[in-house]
């Protein structure tokens, strides 16, 4: 592999060349992180807690059965195994303070503190923060009672968006086409307690028009180093129809994010976010994922922040990353991101998520999967809900695999990903057949 990093002096780096890394989580994003970490020259072994069958089968990677919500257990594991660096995949342990717990024990953990993770943990905090920093976002009100909610809906009109304040496993957002459905969303959250505690407070906001892009940066508290751009498909069915899911596929780069839009995102969103968090005494260190609406005029508006990498965006991103992600995380922990650059494969990449029939509703588990010749230099199958049962690969979740491919064009990456998908023998599998359609259409217009 080519030299992927341009290093300027990294004096004072306290980390050696035979490091043990712990990845926290069990999804496709964590498989991608573990695969990427295992390629680092600095790494002797990668632990994943709890991981999946894909991480189990990966060379230099070992699963450890500690749940990602068990912060005390993870801390014990890191001490016991003398882990040098922990990278946290999902948001929940970050919001619950894993970074703070590891920091107090003198252990290196890459991810924001609980105070900084409020950028995902509380939508009302984030909206007030965005407003106070003058960062573009949809107009909004925060409400706690039906009366307040009804008044806001009457004043703003439909279409309108109702969001649970706290973490709701990606299900807390209701897009309402008329005022009656907005009122129903209010009642379900406030009286029906549909989101439990997370929905005691709600954000009601203006519906934004445009196209979405995911913009993910590595942050060291002061400086943000943007990763390649990406775009995901949240809706379950082709044509972006049907219920929202965790993500049915993604690709990188996002052609929508031109150089000019990229500059605007850095200037209008990312830099003021880091400056604002630092000024509050809660500097942001970790991956910062801005979910953006790009208006038809190319203006970015923040829909949400996530305090972690995207899933499935990470899978196509790591296929294109030419370099050592571990080095980048270490530089961020040392406050030295301004000294490095990341190189990316010029070729686009695209990932198709294979899900269990019924997802995002209820679905069966324990279905057998047979994989033959589905991987190559250009194709990698990242696992999410998989498990080994007596040596056989079986399903154990809703999102099961992400078949990810590189190509000289988006159309080629797409064709390659779908060809490999068809070579996976799993009769119950379901997937969208149009991942990347907008990028392919843009490409064919050139
Ligand atoms: P969130 O969980 O905040 O990312 O919202 C989930 C999805 O709902 C987003 O990816 C958007 O597709 C959509 N969404 C959220 N807020 C808005 C908004 N203000 N206008 C239009 N679509 C939105
Ligand atoms: N792909 C959306 C997310 O990671 O939140």
């Amino acid at each position: 592999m080519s030299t992927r990093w341009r290093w300027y002096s990294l004096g004072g780096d306290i980390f050696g060349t035979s490091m043990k890394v712990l990845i926290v989580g069990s999804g496709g994003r964590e498989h991608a992180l573990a695969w990427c970490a295992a390629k680092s020259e600095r790494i002797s072994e990668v632990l994943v807690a709890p991981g999946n069958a894909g991480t189990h089968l990966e060379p230099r990677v070992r699963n450890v059965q500690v749940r990602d919500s068990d912060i005390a257990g993870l801390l014990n594991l890191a001490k016991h195994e003398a882990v040098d660096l922990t990278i946290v995949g999902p948001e929940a342990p970050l919001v619950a303070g894993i970074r703070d717990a590891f920091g107090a024990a003198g252990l290196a953990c890459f991810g924001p503190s609980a105070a900084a993770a409020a950028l995902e943990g509380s939508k009302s905090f984030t909206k007030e923060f965005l407003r106070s920093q003058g960062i573009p976002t949809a107009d909004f009100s925060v409400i706690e009672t039906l009366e307040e909610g009804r008044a806001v809906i009457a004043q703003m009109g439909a279409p309108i968006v109702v969001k649970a304040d706290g973490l709701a496993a990606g299900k807390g957002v209701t897009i309402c086409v008329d005022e009656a459905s907005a009122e129903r969303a209010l009642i379900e959250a406030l009286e029906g307690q549909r989101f439990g505690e997370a929905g005691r407070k709600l954000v009601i906001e203006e519906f934004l028009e445009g196209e979405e892009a995911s913009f993910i940066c590595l942050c060291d508290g002061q400086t943000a180093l943007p990763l390649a751009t990406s775009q995901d498909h949240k809706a379950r069915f082709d044509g972006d129809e049907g219920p929202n899911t965790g993500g049915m596929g993604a690709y990188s780069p996002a052609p929508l994010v031109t150089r000019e839009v990229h500059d605007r995102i850095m200037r209008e969103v990312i830099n003021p976010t880091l400056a604002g968090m630092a000024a509050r005494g809660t500097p942001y260190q970790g991956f910062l994922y801005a979910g953006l609406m790009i208006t038809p005029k190319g203006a970015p508006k923040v829909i949400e922040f996530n305090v972690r990498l995207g899933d499935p965006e990470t899978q196509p991103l790591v296929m294109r990353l030419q370099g050592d992600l571990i080095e980048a995380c270490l530089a961020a922990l040392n406050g030295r991101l301004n000294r490095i650059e990341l190189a990316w494969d010029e070729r686009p990449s695209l990932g198709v998520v294979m899900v269990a029939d019924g997802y995002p509703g209820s679905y069966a588990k324990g279905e057998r999967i047979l994989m033959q010749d589905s991987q190559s230099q250009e194709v990698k199958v990242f696992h999410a809900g998989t498990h080994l049962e007596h040596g056989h690969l079986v399903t154990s979740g809703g999102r099961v695999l992400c078949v990810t491919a590189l190509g000289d064009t988006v159309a080629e990456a797409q064709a390659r990903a779908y060809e490999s998908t068809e070579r996976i023998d799993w009769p119950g599998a379901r997937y969208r057949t149009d991942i990347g359609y907008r990028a392919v259409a843009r490409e064919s217009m050139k």
Side-chain angles (χ1 to χ4, degrees), residues 123 161 163 173 175 205-208 212 234 303-304:
K123 291 201 190 286
V161 185
K163 301 184 170 185
V173 173
I175 312 261
E205 68 179 34
E206 166 203 10
F207 178 80
L208 296 174
E212 285 177 60
K234 290 197 178 69
I303 296 177
E304 60 160 351

Side-chain angles (χ1 to χ4, degrees), residues 32-273:
L33 275 171
W35 176 73
C36 209
K39 292 196 292 187
S40 168
E41 287 176 5
R42 286 201 176 220
I43 299 301
S44 58
E45 192 181 24
V46 179
L47 306 185
V48 190
N52 55 41
T55 53
H56 174 81
L57 295 168
E58 213 55 74
R60 296 215 290 168
V61 178
R62 172 160 56 98
N63 285 353
V64 190
Q65 287 317 305
V66 180
R67 280 174 298 118
D68 59 18
S69 54
D70 179 5
I71 294 181
L74 292 166
L75 197 54
N76 274 337
L77 171 69
K79 284 182 187 160
H80 181 73
E81 291 272 359
V83 166
D84 298 288
L85 170 67
T86 299
I87 302 177
V88 184
E91 65 279 8
L94 290 164
V95 172
I98 189 170
R99 165 70 188 253
D100 311 78
F102 272 58
L107 293 173
C109 177
F110 189 60
S113 64
L119 283 180
E120 179 166 359
S122 166
K123 291 201 190 286
S124 59
F125 167 83
T126 304
K127 296 293 289 191
E128 309 279 9
F129 171 78
L130 292 168
R131 184 179 273 167
S132 73
Q133 296 298 122
I135 298 171
T137 189
D139 251 352
F140 72 98
S141 289
V142 179
I143 62 101
E144 293 189 49
T145 66
L146 264 182
E147 291 64 42
E148 289 171 335
R150 286 193 177 114
V152 171
I153 294 168
Q155 192 220 329
M156 290 176 83
I160 193 166
V161 185
V162 178
K163 301 184 170 185
D165 179 56
L167 292 184
K171 300 189 174 72
V173 173
T174 318
I175 312 261
C176 311
V177 288
D178 51 36
E179 295 185 20
S181 49
E183 171 148 354
R184 274 199 301 280
L186 281 185
I187 294 170
E188 280 179 19
L190 294 176
E191 293 192 339
Q193 305 197 335
R194 182 167 166 214
F195 308 110
E197 274 298 297
R200 277 166 54 103
K201 218 192 250 186
L202 303 173
V203 170
I204 303 183
E205 68 179 34
E206 166 203 10
F207 178 80
L208 296 174
E209 306 272 359
E211 192 177 333
E212 285 177 60
S214 309
F215 197 90
I216 308 175
C217 301
L218 264 158
C219 304
D220 70 3
Q222 302 289 328
T223 304
L225 180 66
L227 306 184
T229 58
S230 56
Q231 210 161 340
D232 75 340
H233 291 272
K234 290 197 178 69
R236 167 64 188 83
F237 298 111
D238 283 11
D240 293 319
E241 301 283 339
N244 259 355
T245 70
M248 294 298 296
Y251 52 97
S252 171
L256 168 73
V257 182
T258 58
R259 171 56 36 204
E260 197 190 356
V261 173
H262 195 283
D263 290 347
R264 286 191 70 170
I265 295 170
M266 288 304 289
R267 199 172 59 238
E268 296 173 23
V269 175
I270 304 295
N271 292 336
T273 298

Side-chain angles (χ1 to χ4, degrees), residues 309-357:
L309 287 163
D311 189 344
E313 290 93 330
T314 305
Q315 291 84 315
L317 282 174
V318 296
M319 289 294 278
R320 295 188 58 219
L321 178 61
Q322 296 184 314
D324 188 327
L325 187 68
I326 299 304
E327 295 279 12
C329 294
L330 294 175
L333 278 170
N334 288 331
R336 292 193 172 88
L337 266 186
N338 58 347
R339 302 187 191 187
I340 66 165
E341 278 176 23
L342 278 173
W344 298 90
D345 195 320
E346 290 283 314
R347 292 174 296 169
S349 58
L350 182 144
V352 175
V353 175
M354 300 177 78
V355 303
D357 190 17

